[in-house]
Amino acid sequence: MSLWIAVAAFVVAYTLIATERVPRLAAALGGAGVVLALGIVGAHDVFYSPASGIDWNVVFLLLGMMIIVGVLRQTGIFEFLAIWAAKRARGRPYRVLVLLCLLTAVASALLDNVTTVLLIAPVTLLVCQRIGVRPEPFLIAEVLASNIGGTSTLVGDPPNIIIASRAGLTFNDFLVNLAPFIVVLLVVFLAVCRWLFRHAFEADPERVAEVMSLSEREAINDVPLLCRSLVVLAGVLLGFVLHPVLHVEPSIVALLGAGVLVLVSGLSSGTYLEEVEWETLVFFMGLFVMVGALVKVGVIDAIANWMAEATGGKPALAIGVLLVGSAFLSAIVDNIPFVATMAPVVAELTGPHGPLAGQTGLWWALALGADLGGNATAVGASANVVALGIAKRNGFPISFWEFTKYGALVAAISIALALPYLLLRYT
């Protein structure tokens, strides 16, 4: 009975989120409330269990970075970057999109993609305002680029960290096995964007001319605070990159950075706390509780085991099923609990005595499927949810289906290209 209640709560809440019949926060908290009230998950499951509880690392990583962004905004750095990007692209919208997507993808390979979106989204909103175009297509494209770029390294996407830990893979393993494909995929993605968002590339000539006459240096209004902020941000980013060495969680690094920056900035709390997306943070908590209930009652585990049995002992079939299955499920539920559940199954399959011993391609199929599949829907990846929250807060709401109609196509193209790459290289 618990299994069906957990599934029903998730399906109803997900349907309400997708159809936008009620605010997404109400749907997520309502679903979480049902599984809690009926005892499917308890306090220990929600607050302390790494498998079925709220992922506090994600929540506090977001909180810390939102505070840092709130302090940075006071310096004028985002206005500076907006004018610089618009001038470098000569005010042409497609060039602006390409420049911002490349910046996002590269940054996401070094940071986690959520942090990158938090830093780039404010710049995007200002650039679009300056050249007179709607920001929604640009924000959607950047989130998709962020998820693509983050796939290429161990630290770019949380599922990669889980896979690396379970499989004993290194930072260089990800670079060698995934980065070359991601570079090709990014080129294809940028070409697709030219067609996908073709109606968004009509700028206001007068605003473009105005931007070209601006001096970006005049946008900086507090140089001392900017210097202090950049030093702290550099330390935070270094902490992220050195995570495999230091073994300090990114959430701790972000909170420490936020604390130091608040201390040295001298700003009032209301100034930087205005940038915290409280609704997004609470939405994540509700989503984690619902997915945690699915994990606890065995739904995720049953799906993972079925995928393992369906592959038999055929490497090519195993890679194909794992890639497509991971992409599909990661579009529906958060890819972190899915990968955490699926990693032991893949380890068993590829272990010394497993039916697919030594077939490392399965690990890369899991990584590509989980990471790239997250692009398919508005709730498929953490970065997607954050970007939609920022867009709504700034008066440019992006609906579930508006994002999904673009994201699903990009995810399908990505998986279609990933399959022959994996089959040719690993079978």
Side-chain angles (χ1 to χ4, degrees):
M1 183 59 115
S2 295
L3 185 149
W4 294 111
I5 293 174
V7 171
F10 180 83
V11 170
V12 171
Y14 193 89
T15 302
L16 291 174
I17 293 170
T19 58
E20 300 180 325
R21 294 289 181 87
V22 299
R24 63 175 188 171
L25 179 58
L29 289 181
V34 168
V35 296
L36 280 166
L38 296 178
I40 297 172
V41 290
H44 184 273
D45 299 313
V46 170
F47 298 115
Y48 304 108
S49 172
S52 60
I54 296 171
D55 192 330
W56 296 111
N57 283 318
V58 172
V59 173
F60 286 115
L61 169 65
L62 289 173
L63 176 61
M65 292 309 300
M66 286 174 180
I67 292 174
I68 291 173
V69 169
V71 176
L72 273 170
R73 184 182 286 278
Q74 310 308 313
T75 68
I77 184 62
F78 294 128
E79 184 79 9
F80 171 90
L81 291 172
I83 297 172
W84 176 85
K87 290 177 71 174
R88 293 282 293 182
R90 298 190 176 278
R92 298 180 182 179
Y94 177 63
R95 290 187 179 182
V96 170
L97 183 142
V98 170
L99 182 63
L100 291 174
C101 283
L102 286 174
L103 179 62
T104 301
V106 172
S108 294
L110 299 176
L111 316 175
D112 67 281
N113 45 20
V114 172
T115 300
T116 301
V117 168
L118 284 170
L119 293 173
I120 301 296
V123 178
T124 305
L125 290 167
L126 289 171
V127 170
C128 293
Q129 180 185 19
R130 285 290 188 177
I131 63 177
V133 297
R134 297 286 298 180
E136 294 95 321
F138 292 79
L139 288 171
I140 292 172
E142 284 169 13
V143 174
L144 300 177
S146 175
N147 290 327
I148 291 172
T151 306
S152 62
T153 67
L154 187 153
V155 297
D157 216 354
N160 290 3
I161 298 174
I162 298 172
I163 291 171
S165 175
R166 188 76 190 193
L169 300 170
T170 67
F171 189 91
N172 290 336
D173 288 329
F174 278 83
L175 282 180
V176 171
N177 289 277
L178 296 186
F181 170 72
I182 293 302
V183 170
V184 174
L185 180 59
L186 188 59
V187 173
V188 173
F189 167 70
L190 292 174
V192 170
C193 283
R194 187 70 178 92
W195 168 78
L196 205 58
F197 303 109
R198 58 191 179 280
H199 299 301
F201 301 137
E202 297 180 4
D204 185 334
E206 293 184 1
R207 290 196 183 185
V208 171
E210 180 183 342
V211 169
M212 296 304 293
S213 66
L214 293 174
S215 171
E216 54 267 37
R217 293 184 179 180
E218 294 179 2
I220 303 298
N221 51 48
D222 192 333
V223 175
L225 179 58
L226 175 61
C227 292
R228 291 194 292 269
S229 299
L230 291 179
V231 169
V232 172
L233 180 61
V236 170
L237 301 185
L238 184 62
F240 290 163
V241 174
L242 295 179
H243 168 73
V245 177
L246 300 176
H247 303 293
V248 177
E249 292 296 334
S251 56
I252 301 299
V253 175
L255 286 175
L256 287 173
V260 171
L261 191 52
V262 166
L263 186 64
V264 302
S265 69
L267 297 173
S268 63
S269 59
T271 304
Y272 50 81
L273 289 180
E274 286 180 354
E275 297 301 318
V276 176
E277 300 281 342
W278 299 108
E279 181 178 327
T280 299
L281 296 179
V282 178
F283 174 74
F284 269 125
M285 294 179 195
L287 204 58
F288 279 131
V289 172
M290 287 192 295
V291 174
L294 295 180
V295 172
K296 185 177 180 181
V297 299
V299 173
I300 302 295
D301 191 46
I303 294 172
N305 286 328
W306 173 84
M307 290 174 60
E309 292 174 4
T311 62
K314 301 175 182 178
L317 180 59
I319 286 175
V321 170
L322 193 57
L323 175 70
V324 176
S326 298
F328 176 76
L329 290 171
S330 293
I332 300 174
V333 300
D334 190 271
N335 53 15
I336 296 173
F338 172 75
V339 169
T341 304
M342 197 64 197
V345 178
V346 176
E348 183 68 24
L349 288 172
T350 59
H353 304 293
L356 294 165
Q359 294 291 334
T360 57
L362 268 69
W363 289 112
W364 306 123
L366 178 60
L368 288 173
D371 294 346
L372 299 177
N375 269 338
T377 68
V379 296
S382 301
N384 307 5
V385 178
V386 171
L388 266 61
I390 293 173
K392 180 181 178 181
R393 183 183 180 89
N394 286 274
F396 301 99
I398 300 171
S399 71
F400 179 94
W401 290 112
E402 182 181 359
F403 181 95
T404 301
K405 71 180 180 182
Y406 297 116
L409 179 60
V410 170
I413 293 172
S414 302
I415 298 303
L417 292 175
L419 183 57
Y421 167 75
L422 291 169
L423 293 178
L424 288 172
R425 183 162 182 179
Y426 301 106
T427 61

